[in-house]
Amino acid sequence: MEFSASGDEFWSILDEVGHTPLPHYIRRSDKPFDRERYQTIFAKEWGAVAAPTAGLHFTERVLNALKEKGVEVVEITLWVSYGTFAPVRVKEIEDHKMYPERFRITKESAEKINQARERGGRVVAVGTTVVRALESSASGQGKVIAQEKETQLFIYPGYKFKAVDALLTNFHMPKSTLLMLVSAFAGLELIKKAYQYALEKGYRFLSYGDCMLII
């Protein structure tokens, strides 16, 4: 695909004509204020097609409370791509092709993550995109390597996790790669039970939905 503009002009046009992706249960068109609401408190750079929505559950008050309890917060940069929304349409999941997603893990962040695990701490990933970034950067021994690159890692049941110990994530739609990742992490039967409970209790799915902590 080719565009007639690039650089700052390209981003300016996108900012003018783009829309904020709202869940289907928000029955209205997106408004200007949605652009501010649809950002995590740690968003800093342009380029993602959507927010890494598990991060929307955090406020400054929540982060400060976690830090007071001794939780170390480590940031990495994610550029969420269209692949987040693309459903699996093939008969065999191994044939599904993931869209590239770019991420950046600085040397400082990688060192903090590795040091935490060496101390016996747990790495809690906030969102499936964080999981893919960390797992794409992990050695066979689970050591996270600082880098900026694109990943097409497709995680589904049977995958052996190397770098992530716990996961905070929203509730995802059927036939999505995100649901497959979560099923790989927690086990398919447990996820089925959790989703059945969520449906019975009227939990919200997608961007502004409820979340679960898998430990």
Side-chain angles (χ1 to χ4, degrees):
M1 183 178 293
E2 294 184 2
F3 297 94
S4 60
S6 61
D8 291 342
E9 182 184 4
F10 175 76
W11 292 114
S12 178
I13 293 172
L14 283 187
D15 191 47
E16 181 180 346
V17 303
H19 291 275
T20 304
L22 300 178
H24 58 82
Y25 47 78
I26 297 181
R27 302 182 185 278
R28 61 169 174 79
S29 299
D30 61 301
K31 306 293 184 183
F33 59 75
D34 287 313
R35 297 192 178 197
E36 180 180 349
R37 293 179 178 179
Y38 193 66
Q39 293 287 355
T40 64
I41 60 172
F42 19 75
K44 294 181 179 68
E45 299 196 30
W46 284 88
V49 302
T53 53
L56 295 175
H57 298 284
F58 289 84
T59 63
E60 292 291 350
R61 181 178 62 83
V62 170
L63 279 186
N64 288 335
L66 289 171
K67 291 174 183 177
E68 288 174 2
K69 291 181 178 293
V71 176
E72 185 173 23
V73 178
V74 179
E75 294 186 6
I76 66 176
T77 303
L78 307 169
W79 287 275
V80 179
S81 79
Y82 169 74
T84 290
F85 302 101
V88 175
R89 295 188 175 93
V90 294
K91 191 170 184 180
E92 302 292 336
I93 60 173
E94 295 88 349
D95 296 331
H96 177 75
K97 303 300 182 185
M98 294 291 291
Y99 286 79
E101 255 179 341
R102 187 161 61 100
F103 66 86
R104 180 195 302 135
I105 301 175
T106 64
K107 182 178 179 180
E108 179 184 8
S109 292
E111 288 176 350
K112 287 182 178 180
I113 294 169
N114 293 328
Q115 288 168 2
R117 300 199 87 190
E118 289 169 3
R119 294 194 301 267
R122 292 186 298 171
V123 175
V124 182
V126 178
T128 55
T129 312
V130 171
V131 173
R132 294 180 66 238
L134 293 180
E135 291 294 321
S136 296
S137 302
S139 68
Q141 293 73 40
K143 185 175 182 179
V144 174
I145 301 167
Q147 59 185 321
E148 178 175 333
K149 73 170 190 176
E150 290 184 340
T151 179
Q152 291 182 272
L153 178 63
F154 182 18
I155 297 176
Y156 51 86
Y159 179 85
K160 302 299 182 183
F161 291 85
K162 303 182 292 293
V164 177
D165 303 302
L167 170 62
L168 179 76
T169 184
N170 287 47
F171 284 88
H172 308 291
M173 297 300 289
K175 299 182 179 180
S176 68
T177 60
L178 308 180
L179 182 55
M180 293 179 187
L181 184 154
V182 171
S183 298
F185 192 82
L188 183 57
E189 292 306 313
L190 180 59
I191 289 300
K192 284 182 177 179
K193 292 180 181 178
Y195 273 62
Q196 185 60 43
Y197 183 87
L199 291 170
E200 291 172 358
K201 298 299 182 180
Y203 283 21
R204 296 289 193 180
F205 284 49
L206 301 173
S207 303
Y208 289 133
D210 295 290
C211 67
M212 57 183 171
L213 177 62
I214 306 173
I215 56 176

